[in-house]
Amino acid sequence: MNINTPLPAAVLSPELIARFTAIVGERHALTDAREIEAYVTEERNLYRGRSPLVLRPGSTEEVAAICRLASEARVGIVPQGGNTGLVGGQTPLNGEVVISLKRMDKIREVDTSSNTMTVEAGVVLQTAQEKADEVDRLFPLALGAQGSCTIGGNLSTNAGGTAALAYGLARDMALGVEVVLADGRVLNLLSKLKKDNTGYDLRDLFIGAEGTLGIITAATLKLFPKPRAVETAFVGLQSPEAALKLLGIAQAEAASSLTSFELIAEIALDFSVRHEGNRDPLQSRYPWYVLIELSSPRDDARGALESILERGMEDGLVDDAAIAASTTQSQAFWKLREDISHAQKPEGGSIKHDVSVPVASVPRFIAEANEAVVKLIDGCRPVPFGHLGDGNIHYNVSQPIGADKAAFLARWHEVNTAVFDIVLRLGGSISAEHGIGALKRDDLPGVKDKTAIELMRTIKAAFDPLGIMNPGKVL
């Protein structure tokens, strides 16, 4: 299913294509439909765009030249990183020129004294993690797509991930950015400073803006001390309410050492075991699971984790638990969690939600959402999982067994409305970490403060008066 129906691709004159090509060189300008295909489709196949031209610049100067020409010719452009986005923000839906930043993959500097690393936008997240590890530091942003997503995309969508409980979102991990504006000017906000009160913080305008205000070409990232002890446990329990109480115990016992606290429904674990070849860590099945990870600069994480589990058992919250005995076993626990989204594919259509509610409201949200969607579509299968520690639940709904996939997915908006109504009533957000893109663009005005929307439009007009920067996304 395609949620959108793209307009015909823009027709660029041969002369204009030649001018764009001259900026990056013929080798890095794609016009063949077969080569372009990978840039106009995405993994979930919800969006299929069109583009007459994909440009792969190798420097900030080349990005600036592309933007100057696009502004002169009034040609829409869509910046793209690893093409792993989940809301269509990276897809050229109306025939825009794609600017792929993958070639901009240099690590410009690592400064262990200031605990920073300056990288270009095309650096793959896993590469940044590994580079930090080489200098005995930690870059804590962690996502399922970390082997292919890029830093530029992470910042443009303000990615979250499994360590947000302790370290925050991508926004919290960047001290500065370098951005190319729509008219080709380069805004250098790269900085190693933690304290800088010199006027408006323009950096935060571009982080999370999904390329609608400018193109992030580099960033100065925060590095953290590398933990000396990491302990992981997989826990079986009866309900989200029990998981919430266990979270309270974990926060009291481990404080800042608690880096991840993931909630997983039994059906999600079942899909991951059945379709991805993962092993159930526990001997019996339970209605709910929690994946807990502690990271400590001292060798005291094991004792804290055992204390959390002991208190959980004493309070009747924990039915069973397995503590990883090795790094390999810990990775197996995490693989089970990370494979959940992909494991839903063999089960047919899946209507997905990336939402957040106050942490205390997570059990109520899940219960009310489950009731609402099953009432709406008899036999559908809610598959909730996600980051209980920060209230971000990936509330996915798999089609009824044997149902027609297309007919089920045709009710996407209907299911979204039912789920979003509950989210908003509980004081939550319809987009926790994936962004707005095209998927939630039309929903945004109905859920965000009216004045905020007006100011967003004013900012967009100021930075991109011709409307060429990722048009049709967010606003």
Side-chain angles (χ1 to χ4, degrees), residues 102-241:
K102 283 186 176 181
R103 287 184 60 225
M104 294 185 60
D105 60 356
K106 297 181 182 65
I107 295 177
R108 295 183 181 178
E109 182 190 36
V110 178
D111 183 347
T112 55
S113 295
S114 63
N115 280 319
T116 61
M117 176 167 59
T118 301
V119 305
E120 293 184 339
V123 169
V124 172
L125 173 55
Q126 186 171 318
T127 301
Q129 295 169 340
E130 291 170 350
K131 189 64 178 180
D133 185 66
E134 289 176 8
V135 295
D136 200 33
R137 297 294 188 274
L138 172 72
F139 182 62
L141 186 62
L143 311 171
Q146 61 194 31
S148 54
C149 65
T150 63
I151 296 298
N154 298 152
L155 292 173
S156 292
T157 58
N158 191 26
T162 56
L165 172 61
Y167 297 100
L169 305 182
R171 184 189 307 278
D172 302 301
M173 301 181 201
L175 286 170
V177 292
E178 175 187 85
V179 181
V180 174
L181 302 179
D183 58 9
R185 286 179 295 166
V186 177
L187 179 61
N188 188 346
L189 301 175
L190 295 174
S191 173
K192 301 179 185 179
L193 302 177
K194 292 184 178 180
K195 293 183 177 181
D196 181 4
N197 287 319
T198 51
Y200 302 142
D201 188 351
L202 298 176
R203 173 202 65 166
D204 276 352
L205 281 175
F206 299 98
I207 298 177
E210 301 182 50
T212 60
L213 301 179
I215 300 175
I216 295 175
T217 51
T220 301
L221 307 175
K222 296 179 185 177
L223 301 181
F224 296 82
K226 188 177 176 181
R228 301 303 173 199
V230 178
E231 297 289 345
T232 315
F234 204 87
V235 181
L237 29 70
Q238 292 297 312
S239 67
E241 288 81 2

Side-chain angles (χ1 to χ4, degrees), residues 140-439:
L141 186 62
L143 311 171
Q146 61 194 31
S148 54
C149 65
T150 63
I151 296 298
N154 298 152
L155 292 173
S156 292
T157 58
N158 191 26
T162 56
L165 172 61
Y167 297 100
L169 305 182
R171 184 189 307 278
D172 302 301
M173 301 181 201
L175 286 170
V177 292
E178 175 187 85
V179 181
V180 174
L181 302 179
D183 58 9
R185 286 179 295 166
V186 177
L187 179 61
N188 188 346
L189 301 175
L190 295 174
S191 173
K192 301 179 185 179
L193 302 177
K194 292 184 178 180
K195 293 183 177 181
D196 181 4
N197 287 319
T198 51
Y200 302 142
D201 188 351
L202 298 176
R203 173 202 65 166
D204 276 352
L205 281 175
F206 299 98
I207 298 177
E210 301 182 50
T212 60
L213 301 179
I215 300 175
I216 295 175
T217 51
T220 301
L221 307 175
K222 296 179 185 177
L223 301 181
F224 296 82
K226 188 177 176 181
R228 301 303 173 199
V230 178
E231 297 289 345
T232 315
F234 204 87
V235 181
L237 29 70
Q238 292 297 312
S239 67
E241 288 81 2
L244 183 62
K245 292 177 181 177
L246 185 63
L247 172 62
I249 292 173
Q251 290 173 323
E253 291 283 338
S256 61
S257 295
L258 179 63
T259 47
S260 297
F261 199 97
E262 299 288 298
L263 180 67
I264 303 170
E266 180 184 8
I267 188 173
L269 177 137
D270 180 61
F271 288 175
S272 186
V273 169
R274 182 148 34 105
H275 299 303
E276 300 296 327
N278 295 310
R279 190 176 72 84
D280 189 337
L282 305 178
Q283 292 184 347
S284 300
R285 283 290 175 92
Y286 299 93
W288 292 88
Y289 299 87
V290 163
L291 177 58
I292 306 175
E293 188 158 278
L294 306 186
S295 303
S296 174
R298 300 177 297 276
D299 294 326
D300 59 354
R302 183 60 173 247
L305 183 56
E306 290 175 346
S307 179
I308 292 166
L309 297 177
E310 287 171 6
R311 282 192 56 189
M313 288 180 176
E314 290 171 1
D315 292 352
L317 305 174
V318 173
D319 292 334
D320 194 9
I323 297 178
S326 64
T327 300
T328 299
Q329 191 171 22
S330 175
Q331 290 171 344
F333 288 178
W334 277 108
K335 185 176 183 299
L336 191 154
R337 157 65 179 89
E338 291 164 356
D339 285 346
I340 291 172
S341 291
H342 192 265
Q344 287 184 259
K345 288 186 176 182
E347 296 292 327
S350 176
I351 297 175
K352 301 179 185 294
H353 308 82
D354 163 50
V355 299
S356 61
V357 296
V359 174
S361 299
V362 169
R364 180 180 171 187
F365 161 70
I366 292 174
E368 293 188 12
N370 285 356
E371 181 180 0
V373 298
V374 171
K375 181 179 180 180
L376 193 63
I377 303 178
D378 185 41
C380 73
R381 296 168 292 165
V383 187
F385 63 97
H387 321 300
L388 178 60
D390 54 40
N392 175 198
I393 299 300
H394 300 298
Y395 189 80
N396 298 346
V397 183
S398 285
Q399 69 176 59
I401 296 174
D404 179 81
K405 180 178 178 180
F408 174 73
L409 291 177
R411 304 187 70 178
W412 189 293
H413 180 70
E414 199 178 345
V415 174
N416 279 177
T417 299
V419 173
F420 290 166
D421 284 349
I422 298 167
V423 168
L424 297 173
R425 180 158 38 82
L426 295 175
S429 168
I430 67 169
S431 179
E433 62 178 3
H434 293 165
I436 297 298
L439 181 64

Side-chain angles (χ1 to χ4, degrees), residues 10-23 26 29-31 52-53 55 69 73 75 97:
V11 178
L12 301 184
S13 69
E15 293 78 13
L16 187 55
I17 289 177
R19 291 179 67 189
F20 276 121
T21 298
I23 295 171
E26 290 189 12
L30 309 180
T31 56
L53 178 65
L55 300 172
L69 180 54
V75 171
V97 172

